[in-house]
Amino acid sequence: MDSWAACDVPSLPGTGVVPLVHDTASGSRVLSASGPTASLYVCGITPYDATHLGHAATYLAFDLLVRAWLDAGVSVSYTQNSTDIDDPLLERATATGIDWQGLAARETALFHSDMAALRVVPPAHYVPVTEAMPLVVELIERLDAAGATYVLDGDVYFSVEAAKHFGEVSGYDAALMRRFAGERGGDPDRVGKRDPQDCLLWLAQRPGEPGWPSPYGPGRPGWHVECTAIALDTLGPTIDVQGGGSDLIFPHHELSAAEAEVATGTWPFARAYLHAGMVAFEGEKMSKSRGNLLFVSRLLAAGADPGAIRLALLAHHYRSDWEWTGDELEAATARLSRWRDAVALGGGPAASPVIEAMRAHLADDLDAAAAAAAVDAWADAALAGDAADRTAPALVADAVDALFGIGLRPSP
Ligand code: 5CA
Ligand code: ZN
């Protein structure tokens, strides 16, 4: 499937810095790219209710990384999936009387238009799981050949015992694993499983549900194996960064890594695992299942500036959990117009210290809030008439555009 429309990313004078990022697995900072090309796999949406501000915050976090890489002269190979067949999507389709394909197509289109409006650099590979069935089946066959699968009442399971490094992505103990597996789409208590953490690879077709052909009979994939298959196919056995929100640490990223380890015989699957914090609203994590959602499309339709939405979200460190209160957008809109006023003056303090400060803060585990404070300081000085370097406004506008994805010039 095509990704959303690309946006221009200006190049800046000098050279950017490859960010150090916090890796969940090691708990330490690691260099985000290991060579001239960085590979990135970010888990995509399950398209039944898109795009809420929590989704947007997570995808913007990875957009900061992509933009920092581009600024540092690193080429980016970026894949995102779409979980366009899964239990919650089928349940929502049934509840609303829409067929599941129509629901997925509608919400995917909305997600793409939101991402384009927010000027998120699109992934080169955008792969819905319904377009990846042969890859998934091939991966299950590899796991089967490795002796890591078993069948339970017609469903095929992955045996975590086969993965030596199982548990090393999350570092969670057995009790926490069990709890999160139960809360996040797993079936730790299903009778007959060899280990509570064994996960579904292939779910035999249920009455009234769609199914795809496989050597195990018609059915559909389990959740984790879709991302493993799509990542291995598009990015190779070892990727630089796997990302998503912190609710994907376990079981999703743990099990994806375990499957990849058994299939390829290599470890780690990702050199760094990056996880964005959870955005809450009305006291709880914003989530489709709870229904406490604020949609990007509604804010845009109500006249919000996409740059202000970006700035509101980027004002929080990507790893922190925080709550949207409603004041963020107003504050970001005021901040953005101050930046735009400063750029429109036609002169200001020199740009290079601002650009270097933005780069240094973003290289420090994507500290966008600190980078934005550097722009504030420049704008304050420009508005106070402190200096009149006539080249500075255009360069600062380019830096905010390239590194933050926010336009400061009036649209033509
Ligand atoms: N399709 C799977 C991944 S393969 C999935 O988790 N889909 S999702 O639609 O539920 O979430 C998409 C992304 O948004 C995930 O990275 C998830 O961690 C993130 N996300 C969901 N809710 C929030 C939230 N409230 N705050 C921040 N990020 C969130
Ligand atoms: Zn995923």
Side-chain angles (χ1 to χ4, degrees):
M1 179 185 275
D2 287 340
S3 206
W4 56 89
C7 54
D8 285 339
V9 180
S11 46
L12 303 177
T15 316
V17 188
V18 175
L20 287 171
V21 288
H22 178 89
D23 166 38
T24 301
S26 62
S28 59
R29 286 203 175 185
V30 298
L31 198 60
S32 55
S34 54
T37 300
S39 52
L40 172 67
Y41 186 92
V42 178
C43 284
I45 58 161
T46 304
Y48 71 91
D49 229 347
T51 312
H52 65 62
L53 287 175
H55 295 141
T58 288
Y59 295 112
L60 284 180
F62 295 100
D63 195 48
L64 284 178
L65 179 61
V66 167
R67 288 169 177 276
W69 276 339
L70 294 174
D71 181 47
V74 173
S75 319
V76 181
S77 185
Y78 179 6
T79 299
Q80 200 177 111
N81 69 310
S82 162
T83 308
D84 64 342
I85 182 69
D86 201 5
D87 294 341
L89 183 91
L90 290 173
E91 284 158 18
R92 176 63 61 88
T94 307
T96 53
I98 308 174
D99 69 281
W100 65 271
Q101 289 105 323
L103 176 62
R106 185 186 78 192
E107 296 301 314
T108 302
L110 193 54
F111 174 63
H112 285 196
S113 68
D114 291 339
M115 289 295 106
L118 290 176
R119 303 178 71 204
V120 174
V121 176
H125 314 280
Y126 189 81
V127 189
V129 61
T130 55
E131 291 180 13
M133 292 302 170
L135 296 177
V136 170
V137 169
E138 190 210 332
L139 177 59
I140 297 174
E141 289 185 286
R142 277 163 81 185
L143 296 173
D144 194 26
T149 70
Y150 60 94
V151 176
L152 180 58
D153 295 335
D155 300 329
V156 184
Y157 274 86
F158 171 71
S159 179
V160 292
E161 203 188 9
K164 266 211 325 274
H165 296 277
F166 177 73
E168 292 183 17
V169 173
S170 65
Y172 294 163
D173 63 22
L176 202 54
M177 285 188 188
R178 203 179 174 112
R179 190 185 123 204
F180 284 147
E183 288 173 8
R184 299 173 180 169
D187 56 1
D189 300 320
R190 182 167 176 181
V191 176
K193 282 171 56 169
R194 293 181 188 164
D195 185 296
Q197 296 311 333
D198 290 349
C199 66
L200 262 178
L201 292 169
W202 193 254
L203 179 75
Q205 187 170 16
R206 305 301 199 241
E209 289 192 358
W212 285 261
S214 86
Y216 320 98
R220 58 185 167 93
W223 175 23
H224 319 305
V225 72
E226 75 179 85
C227 285
T228 318
I230 294 167
L232 289 177
D233 178 64
T234 54
L235 302 174
T238 310
I239 54 185
D240 286 304
V241 173
Q242 182 173 24
S246 59
D247 57 344
L248 298 189
I249 296 172
F250 194 92
H252 188 51
H253 289 170
E254 189 77 73
L255 268 301
S256 303
E259 291 166 355
E261 176 191 352
V262 174
T264 65
T266 55
W267 181 267
F269 177 42
R271 295 189 181 93
Y273 295 89
L274 260 64
H275 292 106
M278 289 291 114
V279 180
F281 182 52
E282 295 170 342
E284 280 194 280
K285 173 195 157 187
M286 208 179 276
S287 82
K288 292 178 278 210
S289 47
R290 291 194 185 94
N292 55 337
L293 305 179
L294 276 176
F295 293 101
V296 170
S297 51
R298 299 229 177 113
L299 293 179
L300 292 171
D305 185 308
I309 299 175
R310 274 190 85 110
L311 197 51
L313 297 173
L314 294 178
H316 300 265
H317 191 273
Y318 82 94
R319 285 205 285 132
S320 62
D321 297 325
W322 56 280
E323 178 157 357
W324 180 274
T325 60
D327 300 336
E328 289 79 0
L329 192 57
E330 212 178 312
T333 305
R335 192 178 194 186
L336 188 56
S337 65
R338 199 167 166 75
W339 290 5
R340 285 183 176 149
D341 288 348
V343 160
L345 283 177
S352 60
V354 192
I355 297 175
E356 295 320 310
M358 290 181 79
R359 283 173 165 157
H361 289 306
L362 289 167
D364 177 17
D365 197 22
L366 307 173
D367 191 345
V375 182
D376 284 333
W378 180 86
D380 288 345
L383 289 164
D386 275 5
D389 178 337
R390 298 177 70 81
T391 63
L395 287 170
V396 170
D398 278 353
V400 171
D401 189 347
L403 299 172
F404 276 176
I406 296 173
L408 296 185
R409 295 187 181 86
S411 5

